[in-house]
Amino acid sequence: MKFNIIQPSNCCDPGTGGCEPALPVAVIGAGPIGLAAAAHLTERKIPFFLLEKGEVAANVRTWEHVTLFSPWQYNMDEAGKRLLFKTGWQAPNEESIPTGKELLEGYLTPLAKLFTPNIYTNHEVAAITRDGLDRMKTTNRSSQPFLLYVETPSGLRKMKAKAVIDATGTWGNPNPAISNSVWLRTEKELALLIDYHIPNVETNKELYANKRIAVVGGGHSAINSLLNLIKLKQNYPDTSVTWILRKKRVEEAFGGGLNDELAARGELGLRIAKAVRKGLIQVETPFMITDMRKQNGIVLLSNEKILEPFDRLIVNTGNRPNFDFHRELRFEREAITEAVPALAPLIDPNEHSCGSVPAHGEKELRQPESNFYIVGSKSYGRAPTFLMATGYEQVRSVVAFLAGDKEAAANVQLQLPETGVCHSGAGGCC
């Protein structure tokens, strides 16, 4: 299979070796941020290829039934829009709020079609290194191309690139239910009875209707799951819904309400507060899960109390980055948040909400490994303060730098909605 990549005519297939002077940029992850990177690379006429371990926007497809917090204007990249306009594409109303499915159909899918020759689905990156070097070697390191080991349906491939942009995100790499965030064997063994996303309860009624369900988590993903179960309960009144929180008071999870500049996010808090007052769900807080076991369902244990049993758990406790394929690169992550180090003080959820995170770009995203960048929600590590618009500005700046336009790379600008609260939701804080 030959790569058909937009690049100078004298540049060869990156999977066959050679042609280093005209090597393309490798973008990993064909989600919103990866596709935005592809759009900016296209506008800058920089050759690239985009690798996706599943299908395009695979993570978005898992929450396509969920309504985002922010309107369209915050969820589309400007370069992507410019390319789409050239095809006769009609932009959605920027003030309306899309579902994940609408984001896919109205923006991500048509954008991805523009890069079809450059996108390789079912291509999972197993490792990245410098060609001919391991992590320990320094001499002439920055002059050597990146070598990506990629698992494909037809076997292992080796692909070369002059730069790497990791936009793989954190979705699909969830935090556990255990309150100190460690994975225990007991939880892993109960995986078939646990959802680590916002499930579509309407299309999977048999798993939730008239069952004992517990939702673990204090963010907007958990609230979305709870509200979906409450709706299901209207037609299946024997459905039992329990909300398990670590917070001292349930009111701490209600969020900014009317003070939230993202009205849809504030509305979630108002709706769940009303449901709690009406007794539609049982609240257990503070409840620190120390272990769980299987006994006529899932039994949850803390140091002071036992909750038993539940037919199914929905665990919405956030996500964490996966750095496994970076091991032979010289990269850094901040010790607490696991974010790109220069970002950590800018995005600390103890100090910042989604809207108060300052604009940042290539300079803050630099790694010890030259021309290697972690962008998007993965650059935030475990911090839940990420917005798609933030990632779009990140890749605009990074691509400008790779193009040699240092002035544009340094000129980072971002206008975000301010809010007094921020929790993780589908696709970050979108």
Side-chain angles (χ1 to χ4, degrees), residues 222-298:
I223 293 175
N224 259 310
S225 294
L226 288 162
L227 292 173
N228 291 339
L229 290 168
I230 290 169
K231 183 178 179 181
L232 181 73
K233 188 178 175 70
Q234 294 174 357
N235 295 321
Y236 299 90
D238 289 335
T239 304
S240 170
V241 184
T242 301
W243 189 8
I244 299 174
L245 294 154
R246 290 181 292 180
K247 301 180 184 297
K248 292 182 179 180
R249 299 169 59 251
V250 66
E251 289 79 9
E252 295 175 26
F254 294 160
L258 295 175
N259 295 321
D260 196 321
E261 287 196 16
L262 288 179
R265 187 170 56 201
E267 177 65 19
L268 283 178
L270 294 173
R271 289 171 61 194
I272 198 65
K274 182 178 180 180
V276 169
R277 287 195 300 269
K278 294 177 68 174
L280 298 178
I281 58 177
Q282 179 180 341
V283 177
E284 291 287 347
T285 193
F287 188 91
M288 307 293 287
I289 301 174
T290 57
D291 203 352
M292 60 180 69
R293 63 171 180 253
K294 187 174 183 180
Q295 184 177 329
N296 297 320
I298 300 177

Side-chain angles (χ1 to χ4, degrees), residues 34-327:
L35 291 172
H40 286 277
L41 289 162
T42 298
E43 285 199 328
R44 294 278 186 173
K45 296 182 171 56
I46 299 175
F48 70 92
F49 59 91
L50 199 163
L51 303 174
E52 169 57 52
K53 70 177 181 179
E55 57 184 330
V56 169
N59 292 339
V60 178
R61 297 175 195 278
T62 67
W63 50 266
E64 62 179 14
H65 57 289
V66 178
T67 300
L68 280 70
F69 302 141
S70 54
W72 272 107
Q73 68 184 93
Y74 295 112
N75 298 312
M76 297 182 291
D77 172 68
E78 292 301 316
K81 288 164 61 178
R82 288 192 292 268
L83 293 177
L84 284 170
F85 281 133
K86 294 179 180 179
T87 69
W89 172 76
Q90 296 295 311
N93 179 354
E94 289 196 346
E95 299 302 318
S96 64
I97 300 175
T99 62
K101 183 177 182 180
E102 290 167 342
L103 181 68
L104 274 169
E105 295 177 349
Y107 172 66
L108 295 177
T109 298
L111 181 61
K113 287 180 179 178
L114 301 181
F115 313 128
T116 297
N118 304 64
I119 297 179
Y120 298 90
T121 56
N122 299 309
H123 278 52
E124 182 173 7
V125 177
I128 311 172
T129 187
R130 292 283 188 174
D131 191 21
L133 302 175
D134 61 21
R135 182 175 182 150
M136 299 292 292
K137 299 296 191 299
T138 299
T139 304
N140 298 324
R141 186 175 187 86
S142 62
S143 65
Q144 298 303 308
F146 289 96
L147 181 62
L148 291 82
Y149 291 83
V150 185
E151 297 287 355
T152 79
S154 58
L156 180 70
R157 301 198 65 191
K158 299 176 183 179
M159 304 170 68
K160 292 182 180 181
K162 67 178 182 182
V164 176
I165 299 174
D166 179 358
T168 53
T170 60
W171 195 256
N173 196 40
N175 292 324
I178 303 302
S179 293
N180 60 7
S181 207
V182 298
W183 281 99
L184 299 181
R185 179 176 56 83
T186 48
E187 181 170 352
K188 293 178 180 179
E189 291 175 347
L190 289 164
L192 293 178
L193 300 177
I194 305 175
D195 298 301
Y196 293 96
H197 58 277
I198 305 172
N200 190 337
V201 300
E202 183 64 28
T203 59
N204 295 281
K205 293 186 181 71
E206 71 281 1
L207 295 178
Y208 309 98
N210 295 327
K211 301 290 180 64
R212 301 159 298 180
I213 312 296
V215 177
V216 182
H220 289 90
S221 290
I223 293 175
N224 259 310
S225 294
L226 288 162
L227 292 173
N228 291 339
L229 290 168
I230 290 169
K231 183 178 179 181
L232 181 73
K233 188 178 175 70
Q234 294 174 357
N235 295 321
Y236 299 90
D238 289 335
T239 304
S240 170
V241 184
T242 301
W243 189 8
I244 299 174
L245 294 154
R246 290 181 292 180
K247 301 180 184 297
K248 292 182 179 180
R249 299 169 59 251
V250 66
E251 289 79 9
E252 295 175 26
F254 294 160
L258 295 175
N259 295 321
D260 196 321
E261 287 196 16
L262 288 179
R265 187 170 56 201
E267 177 65 19
L268 283 178
L270 294 173
R271 289 171 61 194
I272 198 65
K274 182 178 180 180
V276 169
R277 287 195 300 269
K278 294 177 68 174
L280 298 178
I281 58 177
Q282 179 180 341
V283 177
E284 291 287 347
T285 193
F287 188 91
M288 307 293 287
I289 301 174
T290 57
D291 203 352
M292 60 180 69
R293 63 171 180 253
K294 187 174 183 180
Q295 184 177 329
N296 297 320
I298 300 177
V299 175
L300 299 178
L301 296 84
S302 74
N303 291 329
E304 295 84 22
K305 190 176 181 180
I306 296 176
L307 300 180
E308 59 181 345
F310 296 102
D311 296 306
R312 195 165 192 86
L313 292 187
I314 299 173
V315 179
N316 296 147
T317 54
N319 302 278
R320 58 181 66 181
N322 178 5
F323 298 112
D324 288 350
F325 58 91
H326 297 172
R327 288 187 181 278

Side-chain angles (χ1 to χ4, degrees), residues 374-410:
I374 299 172
V375 301
S377 61
K378 187 170 182 176
S379 71
Y380 277 44
R382 298 195 193 189
T385 45
F386 178 75
L387 280 165
M388 279 191 220
T390 308
Y392 294 154
E393 179 63 3
Q394 287 181 345
V395 295
R396 183 208 61 78
S397 176
V398 167
V399 172
F401 185 85
L402 293 176
D405 190 346
K406 295 183 179 179
E407 181 179 354

